[in-house]
């Protein structure tokens, strides 16, 4: 019996991966369809907690918006310890809690930090990159941005898996950009999506309305889709923050510029549970070892200066399979953006279909 050729086996394997992605996409978007009313724009703008706190946002400083459920409490406590001595940060922070347990725990441990409680039953459990509940989170975040802009407030959308070596409120946002995004690398315009600043302009409102509408039915990572909207739609003027200002998992490989980054987002990990443990391994854990989650390890925060200035690669210590896959895909994206034709293909086709193109994840 003749054995099938390598290319036939390769084609069959490729077809199986494609079919697997289609099944995952259908399952994910079915979850979004089941829960979309809980994260809808109308529900958010009518939420009393959001109405009250957003109306009280300081007009001189943009609000800092974090989102969490009970499974991200320790990560949030770690960020609060990291930033407690940065002027104005806690005073301008608004933590959006997605379940009652997170709300109660945060009020008990950090009572002075403002909280917006929006209970979303579909987002009370852990969710991981690419699954349906993560897609639901993307939709919630897009509609939350719309809701804040609806009340004519500027804001920073931020994430608590980030080390702050400086104060984000000092970043200059007084420019012509409607939205200012972080970057996934220093070689192209791909949005990272964890950090962005939005102004309450008509352009920004239209941009997030389009984003929310599309990802309510289309299976795509929001950062890739946001990049495509910026580069193709012309809905809003999108700026980019310097990659040296807010960097990401690529910092683990060691810095080449010699300048310590201001903000390091420890993303690239598809599983939520192990992220804080890896931050602890390389010196970015700022809680004491007792059960009091409001007591911070000040010495640990101070020691990060040496870690940042050492420029020692941490890749071998904490790089997971997901980090390595993201590195591979980032290298592909950067190569496409190195040519005009490649950039057009990336913006018009690959990014809107990014989840389908990342066959290994």
């Amino acid at each position: 019996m003749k054995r099938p050729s390598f290319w036939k086996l390769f084609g069959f394997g490729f077809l199986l991966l494609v079919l697997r992605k289609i099944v995952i996409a259908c399952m994910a978007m079915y979850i979004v369809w089941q829960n979309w009313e809980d994260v809808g724009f109308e529900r958010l703008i009518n939420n009393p907690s959001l109405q009250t706190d957003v109306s009280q946002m300081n007009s001189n400083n943009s609000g800092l918006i974090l989102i969490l459920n009970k499974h991200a409490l320790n990560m949030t406590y770690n960020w609060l310890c990291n930033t407690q001595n940065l002027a104005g940060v806690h005073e301008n922070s608004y933590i959006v809690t997605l379940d009652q347990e997170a709300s109660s725990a945060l009020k008990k441990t950090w009572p002075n930090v403002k909280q917006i409680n929006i209970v979303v039953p579909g987002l009370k459990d852990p969710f991981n990159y690419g699954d349906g509940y993560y897609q639901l989170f993307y939709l919630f975040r897009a509609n939350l941005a719309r809701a804040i802009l609806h009340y004519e407030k500027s804001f920073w959308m931020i994430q608590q898996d980030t080390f702050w070596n400086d104060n984000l409120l000092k970043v200059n946002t007084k420019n012509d950009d409607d939205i200012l995004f972080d970057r996934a690398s220093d070689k192209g315009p791909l949005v990272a999506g964890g950090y962005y600043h939005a102004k309450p302009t008509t352009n920004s409102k239209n941009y997030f309305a389009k984003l929310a509408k599309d990802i309510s039915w289309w299976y795509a990572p929001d950062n890739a889709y946001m990049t495509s909207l910026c580069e193709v739609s012309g809905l809003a003027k999108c700026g980019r923050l310097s990659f040296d200002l807010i960097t990401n998992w690529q910092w683990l490989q060691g810095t080449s510029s010699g300048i310590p980054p201001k903000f390091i987002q420890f993303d690239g990990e598809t599983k939520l549970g192990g992220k804080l443990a890896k931050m602890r391994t390389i010196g970015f854990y700022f809680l004491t070892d007792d059960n009091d989650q409001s007591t911070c390890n000040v010495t640990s925060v101070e020691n990060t200066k040496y870690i940042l200035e050492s420029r020692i690669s941490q890749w071998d210590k904490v790089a997971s399979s997901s980090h390595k896959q993201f590195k591979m895909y980032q290298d592909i994206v950067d190569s496409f953006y190195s040519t005009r034709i490649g950039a057009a293909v990336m913006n018009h086709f690959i990014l809107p279909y990014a989840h389908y193109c990342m066959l290994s994840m």
Side-chain angles (χ1 to χ4, degrees), residues 43-321:
R43 179 174 184 257
L44 296 188
I45 62 173
N46 291 317
N47 179 279
S49 178
L50 185 141
Q51 289 177 337
T52 300
D53 283 318
V54 172
S55 66
Q56 295 174 356
M57 280 186 178
N58 189 335
S59 58
N60 296 320
N61 281 319
S62 299
L64 303 169
I65 309 297
L66 297 94
I67 309 170
L68 76 147
N69 62 17
K70 61 185 177 182
H71 300 284
L73 276 169
N74 284 344
M75 183 72 76
T76 305
Y77 295 150
N78 197 63
W79 178 82
L80 288 167
C81 284
N82 172 197
T83 56
Q84 68 173 342
N85 292 323
L86 295 176
V89 171
H90 285 197
E91 292 81 358
N92 289 282
S93 294
Y94 298 82
I95 300 183
V96 179
T97 52
L98 300 174
D99 56 72
Q100 201 55 51
E101 289 181 61
S103 176
S104 298
L106 194 63
K107 285 178 182 177
K108 180 180 178 181
T109 52
W110 291 86
N112 294 326
V113 177
K114 289 179 283 293
Q115 181 189 141
I116 301 173
N117 185 228
I118 306 174
V119 175
V120 181
L123 295 177
K124 64 181 176 61
D125 296 320
F127 41 85
N128 296 308
Y129 185 83
D131 70 21
Y133 295 106
Y134 214 131
Q135 290 299 125
L136 183 65
F137 174 75
Y138 288 152
L139 181 57
F140 173 80
R141 188 164 59 175
N143 277 326
L144 179 62
R146 292 176 66 195
I148 297 171
L149 295 174
H150 172 79
Y151 288 108
E152 303 297 330
K153 298 292 184 179
S154 297
F155 69 93
W156 281 101
M157 189 69 74
I158 67 174
Q159 292 189 177
Q160 53 270 64
D161 61 350
T162 309
F163 169 70
W164 286 33
N165 191 37
D166 206 340
N167 193 333
L168 189 66
L169 296 174
K170 298 194 306 189
V171 174
N172 180 25
T173 58
K174 299 184 184 303
N175 49 43
D176 294 333
D177 297 320
D178 297 301
I179 314 168
L180 193 58
F181 287 102
D182 58 359
R183 300 161 64 108
S185 80
D186 59 354
K187 297 182 176 67
L190 182 64
V191 168
Y195 278 67
Y196 59 81
H197 182 270
K199 298 173 183 174
T201 63
T202 300
N203 290 345
S204 292
K205 294 173 184 177
N206 291 338
Y207 177 94
F208 283 105
K210 172 69 171 172
L211 174 66
K213 178 183 177 181
D214 288 354
I215 63 176
S216 69
W217 64 270
W218 183 248
Y219 182 61
D222 68 345
N223 71 306
Y225 209 84
M226 287 191 290
T227 307
S228 180
L229 285 179
C230 282
E231 298 300 308
V232 175
S233 72
L235 286 170
K237 185 174 181 181
C238 303
R240 299 294 193 278
L241 294 161
S242 167
F243 191 65
D244 290 331
L245 178 71
I246 301 180
T247 189
N248 57 22
W249 55 266
Q250 296 181 64
W251 173 82
L252 296 169
Q253 296 177 280
T255 60
S256 57
S257 66
I259 303 173
K262 300 294 186 183
F263 307 90
I264 305 170
Q265 188 176 349
F266 291 92
D267 56 356
E269 183 63 62
T270 57
K271 302 292 184 182
L272 174 66
K275 188 180 291 188
L276 188 58
K278 290 185 177 183
M279 291 174 66
R280 184 172 191 163
T281 299
I282 57 177
F284 291 90
Y285 184 80
F286 309 121
L287 302 174
T288 57
D289 290 325
D290 56 32
N291 293 323
D292 183 1
Q293 301 298 332
S294 62
T295 303
C296 304
N297 186 339
V298 178
T299 302
S300 182
V301 178
E302 294 173 348
N303 287 343
T304 55
K305 182 177 180 181
Y306 166 75
I307 299 172
L308 291 172
E309 292 179 349
S310 66
R311 297 167 56 197
I312 298 172
S313 173
Q314 307 282 352
W315 184 255
D316 293 335
K317 286 185 180 180
V318 296
S320 64
S321 60

